[in-house]
Amino acid sequence: MARRPDARPPRGQTSSGPGRGDSDPRRGEGAPPQRANPAPSRAESGIASDPGFVLLGEFGRAHGLNGEVRLKSYTADPMAIGSYGPLTGADGSAIEIASLRPAAGAPDMLIARVAGLSGRTGAESLNRLALYVARERLGAPEDEDEFFAADLVGLAVVDRAGNAIGTVRAVPNYGGGDLLEIASAAGGSPALLPFTKAFVPEIDVAGRRIIVDPPEDLFAPAAPRDPDAA
């Protein structure tokens, strides 16, 4: 669950995407490479564009030799992806997650085992398969400023004038509040925008878009670090 508060962070703390600070909290062992415009997942059955389904995660490469596979979770609590029961793959297949455990280095990266699959070959067959759940199974948030993180992933991001900014890739939280990870429509590295009313004044889940009021330097590359700085 992602919550959109009123507060606007202090000046100079508006975003912290790759290249926008001393470190990237997404980087580390087990983290997938960052792509400005992710390539399409495996052949889809139309589920990706069906508003009746919500994207919850995507399998990555096989992990080890015993049938485990990496899984990037888009749920607010990454481990919660295992609590929805059988999920639907982008190819229409039924996927039942038998077990989950955190992967090292990235809070949204898990190691999963899928019922009915064993061995490395079986795990490799899942690579880049996106996982969905029927929207009706999620219910509705109790507060108007609360949103399922999975509902936000994939939404188009535009400014107040209707100009395309990018697409929501994820809704991470590194301890300072929920953020929108936005892949730029112009390409390049993604950026993080605080998920507050000041930066995100309008959300139209049904219309599949978010209106934002971003800082001018949202996608600007990081300035070179001064080696003499303390």
Side-chain angles (χ1 to χ4, degrees):
M1 188 77 70
R3 183 168 181 82
R4 183 180 55 150
D6 292 314
R8 188 180 185 103
R11 186 176 180 83
Q13 298 181 21
T14 56
S15 58
S16 57
R20 299 191 57 76
D22 292 340
S23 64
D24 177 1
R26 289 166 296 180
R27 189 173 297 133
E29 182 182 355
Q34 299 299 319
R35 305 188 297 271
N37 295 295
S41 298
R42 278 171 32 177
E44 298 177 344
S45 60
I47 290 176
S49 59
D50 185 341
F53 286 86
V54 176
L55 178 66
L56 292 188
E58 183 176 348
F59 286 121
R61 64 184 183 273
H63 179 79
L65 303 175
N66 298 317
E68 292 185 316
V69 59
R70 291 179 179 271
L71 172 60
K72 183 177 178 64
S73 174
Y74 299 135
T75 57
D77 172 8
M79 292 291 289
I81 192 172
S83 66
Y84 292 94
L87 303 177
T88 302
D91 57 2
S93 60
I95 300 293
E96 181 179 351
I97 297 176
S99 66
L100 283 174
R101 58 187 175 86
D108 59 354
M109 187 63 65
L110 309 172
I111 303 299
R113 189 181 295 276
V114 174
L117 289 179
S118 62
R120 186 173 182 87
T121 299
E124 288 176 342
S125 71
L126 300 172
N127 191 24
R128 300 194 60 233
L129 178 67
L131 297 177
Y132 296 81
V133 66
R135 180 63 183 83
E136 61 187 21
R137 289 169 56 189
L138 297 180
E142 297 180 357
D143 189 284
E144 65 177 6
D145 285 316
E146 288 184 337
F147 301 85
F148 288 112
D151 278 354
L152 302 176
V153 173
L155 297 190
V157 180
V158 301
D159 63 20
R160 291 182 181 272
N163 299 310
I165 300 294
T167 304
V168 178
R169 285 183 47 181
V171 188
N173 186 321
Y174 301 114
D178 292 309
L179 303 165
L180 296 182
E181 180 181 333
I182 301 173
S184 172
S189 296
L192 297 177
L193 184 70
F195 188 51
T196 66
K197 288 184 178 179
F199 287 111
V200 188
E202 295 184 39
I203 299 171
D204 183 2
V205 174
R208 305 295 298 164
R209 76 169 189 168
I210 291 177
I211 296 177
V212 300
D213 185 14
E216 295 182 359
D217 62 346
L218 179 63
F219 293 106
R225 292 191 63 182
D226 183 352
D228 297 324

Coordinates of all heavy atoms in Angstrom, one line a residue, residues 5 11 13 15 23 25 54 74 98 107 118 135 145 148 182 187 191 206 225:
P5 N 1.0 11.6 1.2 CA 0.8 12.7 2.2 C 0.8 14.1 1.5 O 1.1 14.2 0.3 CB 2.0 12.5 3.1 CG 3.0 11.9 2.3 CD 2.3 11.0 1.3
R11 N 13.6 21.8 0.3 CA 14.3 22.1 -0.9 C 15.6 21.4 -1.0 O 16.4 21.4 -0.1 CB 14.5 23.6 -1.1 CG 15.1 24.1 -2.4 CD 15.2 25.6 -2.4 NE 15.7 26.0 -3.7 CZ 15.0 26.2 -4.8 NH1 13.7 25.9 -4.8 NH2 15.6 26.6 -5.9
Q13 N 15.8 18.2 -1.6 CA 15.6 16.7 -1.3 C 14.4 16.2 -2.1 O 13.6 15.4 -1.7 CB 15.3 16.6 0.2 CG 16.5 17.0 1.0 CD 16.1 16.7 2.5 OE1 15.3 16.0 2.9 NE2 16.9 17.4 3.4
S15 N 14.4 14.5 -5.1 CA 14.5 13.2 -5.8 C 15.8 12.6 -5.5 O 16.8 13.2 -5.2 CB 14.3 13.3 -7.3 OG 15.2 14.2 -7.8
S23 N 24.7 7.9 -3.5 CA 24.5 6.5 -3.7 C 23.1 6.2 -4.2 O 22.2 7.0 -4.1 CB 24.7 5.7 -2.4 OG 23.7 6.1 -1.4
P25 N 20.2 3.6 -3.7 CA 19.7 2.6 -2.8 C 19.3 1.3 -3.5 O 19.1 0.3 -2.8 CB 18.6 3.3 -2.1 CG 18.1 4.3 -3.0 CD 19.3 4.8 -3.7
V54 N -3.8 -6.6 -12.4 CA -2.8 -5.7 -11.9 C -1.5 -6.4 -11.8 O -1.4 -7.5 -11.4 CB -3.2 -5.2 -10.4 CG1 -2.1 -4.4 -9.8 CG2 -4.5 -4.4 -10.5
Y74 N 6.5 -5.9 -7.0 CA 6.1 -4.6 -7.1 C 5.1 -4.2 -6.0 O 4.5 -3.2 -6.0 CB 5.4 -4.3 -8.4 CG 6.3 -4.5 -9.6 CD1 5.9 -5.1 -10.7 CD2 7.6 -4.0 -9.6 CE1 6.8 -5.3 -11.8 CE2 8.5 -4.1 -10.7 CZ 8.0 -4.8 -11.8 OH 8.9 -5.0 -12.8
A98 N 5.3 -21.3 -4.4 CA 5.4 -22.3 -3.3 C 6.1 -21.8 -2.1 O 5.8 -22.1 -1.0 CB 6.0 -23.6 -3.8
P107 N 15.7 -4.7 -1.6 CA 14.5 -5.1 -0.8 C 13.4 -5.6 -1.6 O 12.5 -6.3 -1.1 CB 14.2 -3.7 -0.2 CG 14.8 -2.7 -1.1 CD 16.1 -3.3 -1.6
S118 N 10.8 -27.8 -11.2 CA 12.0 -28.1 -10.5 C 13.2 -28.1 -11.4 O 13.1 -28.1 -12.6 CB 11.9 -29.6 -9.9 OG 11.7 -30.5 -10.9
R135 N -7.8 -7.7 -10.5 CA -8.0 -6.5 -9.7 C -9.1 -6.7 -8.7 O -9.0 -6.2 -7.6 CB -8.4 -5.3 -10.7 CG -8.6 -4.0 -9.9 CD -7.3 -3.5 -9.2 NE -7.5 -2.3 -8.5 CZ -8.0 -2.3 -7.2 NH1 -8.3 -3.4 -6.6 NH2 -8.1 -1.2 -6.6
D145 N -6.4 8.7 -0.1 CA -5.0 8.9 -0.4 C -4.1 7.7 -0.2 O -2.9 7.8 -0.1 CB -4.5 10.1 0.5 CG -5.0 11.4 0.0 OD1 -5.0 11.7 -1.2 OD2 -5.4 12.2 0.8
F148 N -3.0 1.0 -3.9 CA -2.2 -0.2 -4.0 C -1.0 0.1 -4.9 O -1.2 0.7 -6.0 CB -3.0 -1.4 -4.7 CG -4.0 -1.9 -3.8 CD1 -5.3 -1.8 -4.0 CD2 -3.6 -2.7 -2.6 CE1 -6.3 -2.3 -3.2 CE2 -4.6 -3.2 -1.8 CZ -5.9 -3.0 -2.0
I182 N 10.2 6.6 -11.9 CA 9.7 7.0 -13.2 C 10.7 6.8 -14.3 O 11.8 7.3 -14.2 CB 9.2 8.5 -13.2 CG1 8.2 8.7 -12.1 CG2 8.7 8.8 -14.6 CD1 7.8 10.2 -12.0
G187 N 14.0 8.6 -22.6 CA 15.1 7.7 -22.4 C 16.1 8.2 -21.4 O 15.9 9.3 -20.8
A191 N 14.2 8.2 -12.6 CA 14.4 9.1 -11.4 C 13.3 8.8 -10.4 O 12.3 8.1 -10.7 CB 14.3 10.6 -11.9
A206 N -8.1 4.7 -13.1 CA -9.0 4.1 -14.2 C -8.6 4.6 -15.6 O -8.6 3.9 -16.6 CB -10.5 4.6 -13.9
R225 N 31.2 14.9 -8.6 CA 31.6 15.0 -7.2 C 32.9 15.7 -7.1 O 33.9 15.4 -7.8 CB 31.6 13.7 -6.5 CG 30.2 13.1 -6.3 CD 30.3 11.9 -5.4 NE 30.7 12.3 -4.0 CZ 30.9 11.5 -3.0 NH1 30.8 10.2 -3.2 NH2 31.3 11.9 -1.8

